[in-house]
């Protein structure tokens, strides 16, 4: 089993403290880094992948209980364990999908060895399999300039898997995808996560709500909290409510509470609405408590500032 251990990792850019004293131990499974833009997700991935140095702290890797080695000292040895889809991947538009995979295999110095095959034949078999798995086999000879955003994202994931890495970093892998493509990518990531550490940065809750074994909440570079989707949602128990009221009362509630959703009740001409909101205490006599979800937790922590009460449920 592989293990990735981060110890007190710290990084500033000038006066911006992008990552503060980050410690965590990753084992095989899907982990989510959840936080809004600027919370430090990409910085963390760049440090794990050795693209930027941390100011202090260490990133250690071990396999099958062997001694931990600093990934910085491991150099290329760690690169072979690593698959990385950066937030803004560069694709060479004139390359075909197939050429791009070969090019990345060269860059990563993938040594072909699989099912008795060696060398280029084995690399070729690996590329075939990866393109099949992300559904790009049919268009493998098309230039990258002609394929859709969803296809590019899938190609980005396929290249991250070259060389069968044990640590996979995916920085916003579903950015710019439509809901159907998002579901496909999500399912694919679940499929590859077995025996591997998959770390997925996102601010989209539905991407990770079902699949992540641990969700790491990053707020201004600080690991504010972590837990399963259910554990985090449960922290909001007793703080999420629905209230039935007249439409013209919406503003009154929105001024006092964090409103999560509003839906019409009855026929379209009805003036009654149901409001879902967050409140530390029962907000009105007729308010009913509802089962909280991860989104409620997220919005309580990160919802826009306002006079209303973000409260501490950590
Ligand atoms: N190369 C850089 N130079 C200066 N500031 C940076 C740089 N990269 C990131 N930052 C800042 O560090 C913070 C964290 O950024 P980032 O790690 O990209 O967050 P996220 O990926 O969660 O959006 C932000 O305030 C961002 O503006
Ligand atoms: Mg980012």
């Amino acid at each position: 089993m592989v293990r990735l251990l981060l110890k007190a990792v710290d990084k500033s850019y000038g006066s911006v403290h992008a990552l503060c004293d980050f410690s965590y131990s990753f084992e095989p499974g899907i982990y989510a880094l959840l936080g809004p833009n600027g919370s430090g997700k990409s910085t963390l991935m760049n440090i794990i992948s050795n693209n930027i140095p941390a100011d202090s702290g260490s990133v250690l890797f071990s396999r099958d209980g062997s001694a931990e080695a600093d990934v910085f000292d491991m150099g290329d040895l760690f690169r072979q364990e690593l698959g990385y889809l950066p937030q803004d991947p560069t694709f060479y538009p004139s390359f075909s999908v197939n050429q791009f995979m070969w090019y990345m295999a060269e860059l990563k110095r993938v040594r072909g060895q699989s099912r008795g095959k060696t060398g280029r034949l084995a690399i070729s078999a690996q590329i075939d399999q990866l393109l099949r798995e992300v559904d790009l086999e049919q268009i493998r000879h098309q230039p990258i300039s002609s394929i859709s955003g969803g296809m590019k994202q899938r190609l980005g994931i396929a290249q991250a898997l070259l060389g069968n890495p044990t640590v996979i970093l995916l920085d916003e892998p579903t950015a710019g995808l439509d809901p159907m493509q998002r579901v496909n990518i999500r399912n694919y990531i679940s499929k590859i996560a077995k025996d591997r550490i998959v770390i997925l940065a996102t601010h989209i809750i539905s991407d990770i709500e079902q699949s992540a074994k641990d969700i790491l909440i990053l707020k201004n570079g600080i690991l504010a909290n972590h837990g399963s989707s259910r554990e985090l949602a449960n922290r909001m128990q007793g703080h999420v409510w629905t209230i039935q009221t007249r439409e013209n009362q919406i503003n009154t509630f929105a001024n006092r509470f964090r409103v999560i959703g509003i839906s019409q009740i009855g026929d379209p001409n009805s003036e009654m609405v149901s409001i879902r909101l967050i409140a530390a205490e029962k907000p009105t006599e007729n308010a009913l408590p509802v089962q909280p979800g991860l989104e409620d937790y997220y919005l309580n922590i990160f919802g826009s500032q306002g006079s209303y009460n973000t409260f501490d449920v950590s």
Side-chain angles (χ1 to χ4, degrees), residues 41-42 87 171-172:
K41 305 182 295 294
S42 296
Q87 184 163 0
D171 200 346
E172 307 207 7

Side-chain angles (χ1 to χ4, degrees), residues 167-184:
V167 178
I168 299 171
L169 309 177
L170 303 172
D171 200 346
E172 307 207 7
T174 65
L177 302 188
D178 67 36
M180 199 60 224
Q181 294 169 329
R182 210 174 267 282
V183 169
N184 288 342

Side-chain angles (χ1 to χ4, degrees), residues 36-43 45-46 87-88 171-172 201 203:
N37 287 333
S39 53
K41 305 182 295 294
S42 296
T43 298
M45 293 202 157
N46 274 309
Q87 184 163 0
D88 299 302
D171 200 346
E172 307 207 7
H203 50 245

Side-chain angles (χ1 to χ4, degrees), residues 263-273:
S263 53
Q264 196 87 35
I265 299 175
D267 68 86
N269 296 325
S270 127
E271 284 176 11
M272 294 301 285
V273 290

Side-chain angles (χ1 to χ4, degrees), residues 8-305:
V9 175
D10 215 272
K11 175 77 188 173
S12 294
Y13 302 101
S15 63
V16 178
H17 203 171
L19 202 62
C20 314
D21 195 26
F22 184 97
S23 296
Y24 193 83
S25 172
F26 296 95
E27 291 174 357
I30 299 179
Y31 296 82
L33 298 177
L34 185 63
N37 287 333
S39 53
K41 305 182 295 294
S42 296
T43 298
L44 182 60
M45 293 202 157
N46 274 309
I47 290 172
I48 295 175
S49 60
N50 248 330
N51 283 323
I52 59 168
D55 296 337
S56 58
S58 46
V59 182
L60 306 168
F61 177 80
S62 77
R63 176 197 279 281
D64 301 327
S66 65
E68 286 148 359
D70 194 303
V71 301
F72 188 76
D73 300 330
M74 285 177 73
D76 271 355
L77 271 182
F78 182 64
R79 280 184 193 274
Q80 283 166 19
E81 300 285 347
L82 186 73
Y84 182 26
L85 172 64
Q87 184 163 0
D88 299 302
T90 313
F91 295 105
Y92 299 93
S94 61
F95 278 20
S96 71
V97 165
N98 201 47
Q99 281 169 331
F100 180 73
M101 289 295 278
W102 273 99
Y103 175 72
M104 293 308 287
E106 297 271 340
L107 278 190
K108 290 176 82 172
R109 303 209 190 105
V110 172
R111 283 184 246 298
Q113 229 173 24
S114 78
R115 297 198 194 117
K117 296 185 182 126
T118 53
R120 293 182 69 80
L121 210 57
I123 298 175
S124 173
Q126 199 181 113
I127 290 176
D128 287 353
Q129 191 201 336
L130 287 172
L131 290 180
R132 203 161 38 242
E133 282 179 20
V134 296
D135 252 330
L136 290 179
E137 219 185 11
Q138 306 296 322
I139 56 125
R140 65 188 300 162
H141 296 300
Q142 281 189 32
I144 292 177
S145 58
S146 73
I147 70 175
S148 71
M151 290 170 177
K152 277 187 196 151
Q153 238 17 26
R154 269 150 42 208
L155 178 57
I157 294 178
Q159 65 75 29
L161 291 167
L162 279 165
N164 201 18
T166 52
V167 178
I168 299 171
L169 309 177
L170 303 172
D171 200 346
E172 307 207 7
T174 65
L177 302 188
D178 67 36
M180 199 60 224
Q181 294 169 329
R182 210 174 267 282
V183 169
N184 288 342
I185 293 286
R186 215 153 68 197
N187 291 341
Y188 182 61
I189 292 170
S190 297
K191 220 164 62 181
I192 61 170
K194 207 165 158 275
D195 305 330
R196 290 165 157 156
I197 297 169
V198 178
I199 307 175
L200 195 158
T202 187
H203 50 245
I204 298 156
I205 286 162
S206 57
D207 278 356
I208 45 96
E209 199 169 24
Q210 310 285 330
S211 56
K213 85 171 191 189
D214 206 17
I215 297 169
L216 285 65
I217 306 288
L218 270 184
K219 186 175 184 181
N220 300 327
I222 295 168
L223 178 58
N225 222 325
H226 69 96
S228 69
S229 171
R230 184 87 332 262
E231 280 163 358
L232 295 177
N234 279 346
R235 290 168 190 263
M236 293 298 289
Q237 200 71 255
H239 305 309
V240 186
W241 311 86
T242 57
I243 295 169
Q244 298 201 357
T245 185
R246 290 195 177 281
E247 222 165 28
N248 61 12
Q249 293 302 302
I250 291 175
N251 278 344
T252 315
F253 284 103
N255 288 336
R256 289 176 54 214
F257 303 102
R258 192 179 305 290
V259 169
I260 306 281
I262 301 167
S263 53
Q264 196 87 35
I265 299 175
D267 68 86
N269 296 325
S270 127
E271 284 176 11
M272 294 301 285
V273 290
S274 170
I275 299 180
R276 182 187 180 99
L277 55 76
I278 294 176
E281 315 258 303
K282 192 174 187 177
T284 58
E285 260 317 298
N286 69 341
L288 295 173
V290 289
Q291 181 68 32
L294 183 58
E295 189 178 35
D296 299 311
Y297 177 84
Y298 186 91
L299 290 173
N300 183 51
I301 292 195
F302 295 114
S304 62
Q305 295 82 10

